[in-house]
Amino acid sequence: MRLHWHRRDLRLADNRGLADAPERPVGVFVFDEAVLEHAGASRVAFLLDAVGALRAAYRERGSELLVRAGDPASVVPNLAADLGAEFVSWNRDYSGLASERDERVDDALENVDATPQKFHDAVCHEPGSITTNAGDPYSVFTYFGRKWRDREKDDPRRIPETAPAADLGVAPGAIPTLSDLGFDAPAAEVPAAGTDVARTLLESFLDDDVYRYEESRDYPAEECTSRLSVHLKFGTIGIREVDKRVRDALESASGERRESVAEFRSQLAWREFYTHVLYFNPDVVTTNYTSYENPIEWENDDDLLAAWKRGETGYPIVDAGMRQLRAEGFMHNRVRMIVASFLTKDLLIDWRHGYEHFRDLLVDHDTANDNGGWQWAASTGTDSQPYFRIFNPMTQGERYDPDAAYIREYVPELEGVDPDVVHSWHELTPTERANAAPEYPEPVVEHSERREQALSMFERARGESD
């Protein structure tokens, strides 16, 4: 018998660890307290739903998903011993903490004579397989992306035969509630989990939106996104399955439609690029990827940080994004870049504060992708936005939400306000603001002034000024 330890692969289909190892598997999911310490209520709620959907899929096949809680280094070997499992398989994770955990489980399995079997599943190409000509990992996406695009991909994996539940002889274990795990009900509306849900989203996206993705993806009111990020994060759908379907769409399209599909596929490559970066640079979660000659002198004003978190900065596109995050546990990608730039370049607050807030509230939080995005915006990461290119939040709002439809959806104080007024909010007099939207705050900072301060801050860090 083989025990398969599910982590970020909460599915049966296209699961390399399940399909590629010998012996019929029985699955287990362990609620790891060390992981839950870094999780928010919305993400745990999605996780619980995904575990429930996975258990149902096992049971449909006459098998079982065992559920346990505790330290995997104790739980997994003990369960393997109880089952008499010869093998324990799992799919690799790529953060430093995950690697350390997996090494402890690996060592503990020696004591119960169970052989570990580890697989690369969450990415098409494992870290170290796409490198420079000198054999080094890439720090620039462009070159990585070209090789990723042209490298042959594996086909999706079949669903294996699973071990009959009647043969197990151990209790399946109950799926805990949020309260059991120490979480209150999330404030956000959490999307449904499971492979069926993910496949429905994928089908819907490939029916239409993928062919207008290139021209519409930056406009949050148009909702031209796949919403697959949370499913790829938790592995309720496999990356090979998604990429195969996208490649099929690419091959059948031409002209602008083909370019649009290719643009979406490049986002899959970006996801993988940041995973490789994290694998080779585990400290990047808490430290700058790019070194400056001097420390960056972040101001870290607590009141400004609180206003940003509440979505009360007086910059409409920023506030809309932060309120969408609180309401849905999600934020449109263009808006993620805008709010991150605003925090680091207008409020002069360390990117780590923003990363932690996103980690707490995002349902689709992914360590590699979120860290890569935040450090890009802060001009401290790989392929970073140059420090002297600073988003103007008002220009960004006017360009990507010209009718203020997205803004007014999440900022009800601006409901019915003319878009021109919304996009010129920073230029209005106090009387004009009071007449237009008396409940909406005035800007907490002046963008042009803060831009100059940001430039000076980074020039000092670079050793270019006193």
Side-chain angles (χ1 to χ4, degrees):
M1 180 181 290
R2 171 165 60 95
L3 180 65
H4 181 78
W5 176 25
H6 286 274
R7 295 99 64 80
R8 288 184 53 182
D9 59 329
L10 302 179
R11 67 188 184 281
L12 296 183
D14 190 26
N15 187 318
R16 289 192 64 193
L18 281 179
D20 289 8
E23 302 293 329
R24 291 191 295 177
V26 60
V28 63
F29 183 85
V30 181
F31 286 91
D32 183 348
E33 292 180 0
V35 173
L36 293 174
E37 285 179 5
H38 300 284
S42 295
R43 199 155 70 256
V44 176
F46 185 93
L47 168 64
L48 288 168
D49 194 20
V51 170
L54 179 60
R55 168 170 274 183
Y58 268 99
R59 289 179 173 177
E60 285 174 6
R61 290 163 175 78
S63 189
E64 184 60 87
L65 174 71
L66 306 176
V67 174
R68 298 291 188 267
D71 182 353
S74 298
V75 172
V76 173
N78 289 342
L79 186 56
D82 292 343
L83 291 167
E86 296 179 68
F87 305 98
V88 177
S89 59
W90 66 83
N91 292 314
R92 296 181 187 273
D93 205 346
Y94 300 105
S95 71
L97 288 176
S99 296
E100 292 171 8
R101 173 200 60 196
D102 293 359
E103 286 179 10
R104 292 192 298 111
V105 173
D106 199 331
D107 292 342
L109 287 173
E110 292 183 10
N111 299 325
V112 296
D113 295 324
T115 302
Q117 300 170 320
K118 292 162 278 190
F119 298 85
H120 290 282
D121 174 78
V123 290
C124 291
H125 305 293
E126 64 188 83
S129 64
I130 297 180
T131 62
T132 67
N133 293 337
D136 298 320
Y138 278 106
S139 61
V140 175
F141 172 76
T142 304
Y143 306 109
F144 175 94
R146 288 173 185 163
K147 287 188 177 180
W148 185 94
R149 179 194 63 201
D150 296 335
R151 188 73 56 90
E152 185 176 353
K153 305 289 185 289
D154 287 348
D155 288 332
R157 293 304 199 267
R158 60 177 177 80
I159 297 177
E161 237 186 280
T162 50
D167 295 346
L168 301 181
V170 298
I175 297 176
T177 64
L178 270 175
S179 179
D180 292 337
L181 297 175
F183 292 89
D184 295 328
E189 183 177 345
V190 179
T195 298
D196 289 344
V197 175
R199 284 175 168 168
T200 298
L201 287 171
L202 178 60
E203 291 296 332
S204 176
F205 183 67
L206 293 176
D207 279 347
D208 177 37
D209 287 348
V210 72
Y211 299 110
R212 59 186 187 90
Y213 181 79
E214 185 173 34
E215 67 178 27
S216 300
R217 68 190 179 99
D218 281 324
Y219 297 87
E222 296 195 24
E223 282 287 341
C224 190
T225 59
S226 70
R227 292 282 184 141
L228 285 171
S229 55
V230 65
H231 294 279
L232 288 170
K233 183 269 185 302
F234 283 100
T236 50
I237 194 168
I239 184 59
R240 288 160 300 280
E241 179 175 343
V242 172
D243 184 66
K244 176 65 165 60
R245 294 300 314 281
V246 174
R247 280 188 284 125
D248 290 344
L250 189 66
E251 291 170 6
S252 64
S254 60
E256 292 182 358
R257 286 166 62 88
R258 181 179 175 84
E259 291 176 5
S260 186
V261 179
E263 179 58 40
F264 176 75
R265 191 166 184 244
S266 75
Q267 302 307 308
L268 302 180
W270 268 106
R271 172 182 176 272
E272 205 145 309
F273 171 66
Y274 281 139
T275 300
H276 287 218
V277 170
L278 176 64
Y279 179 80
F280 289 107
N281 305 274
D283 292 341
V284 78
V285 177
T286 55
T287 61
N288 295 337
Y289 180 90
T290 298
S291 299
Y292 285 86
E293 185 174 329
N294 302 311
I296 302 173
E297 299 168 352
W298 303 109
E299 293 191 1
N300 293 331
D301 185 293
D302 289 340
D303 291 337
L304 292 178
L305 176 61
W308 177 82
K309 289 181 177 180
R310 293 193 307 269
E312 296 178 357
T313 67
Y315 284 86
I317 191 71
V318 173
D319 294 340
M322 299 307 296
R323 296 187 195 190
Q324 182 185 26
L325 173 62
R326 195 165 64 240
E328 300 175 10
F330 176 85
M331 190 188 302
H332 185 277
N333 189 58
R334 165 56 61 174
V335 185
R336 294 189 196 202
M337 291 190 284
I338 295 170
V339 304
S341 176
F342 186 81
L343 183 75
T344 56
K345 305 295 178 59
D346 284 78
L347 302 186
L348 309 182
I349 291 174
D350 192 325
W351 62 267
R352 281 161 276 234
H353 292 289
Y355 171 81
E356 289 172 3
H357 187 64
F358 272 35
R359 184 189 65 195
D360 290 343
L361 296 187
L362 279 175
V363 180
D364 67 359
H365 166 74
D366 177 279
T367 300
N369 291 328
D370 281 355
N371 181 268
W374 270 101
Q375 293 224 44
W376 179 89
S379 302
T380 61
T382 65
D383 263 337
S384 290
Q385 175 89 324
Y387 78 93
F388 50 82
R389 291 183 183 168
I390 298 175
F391 281 1
N392 182 321
M394 301 307 296
T395 301
Q396 291 283 311
E398 187 172 15
R399 179 179 301 161
Y400 295 112
D401 191 28
D403 297 327
Y406 172 79
I407 289 170
R408 289 183 294 193
E409 179 178 356
Y410 295 101
V411 184
E413 301 97 305
L414 297 174
E415 181 67 35
V417 178
D418 187 274
D420 289 341
V421 175
V422 171
H423 295 311
S424 61
W425 191 255
H426 61 304
E427 298 174 340
L428 302 181
T429 66
T431 299
E432 289 171 328
R433 291 190 190 113
N435 290 335
E439 301 301 319
Y440 186 64
E442 64 182 28
V444 293
V445 294
E446 168 56 48
H447 170 70
S448 59
E449 293 177 0
R450 301 296 277 198
R451 180 181 185 279
E452 295 305 315
Q453 288 178 247
L455 291 173
S456 296
M457 179 180 74
F458 276 95
E459 286 167 358
R460 289 193 300 273
R462 288 165 56 89
E464 295 178 0
S465 64
D466 296 329

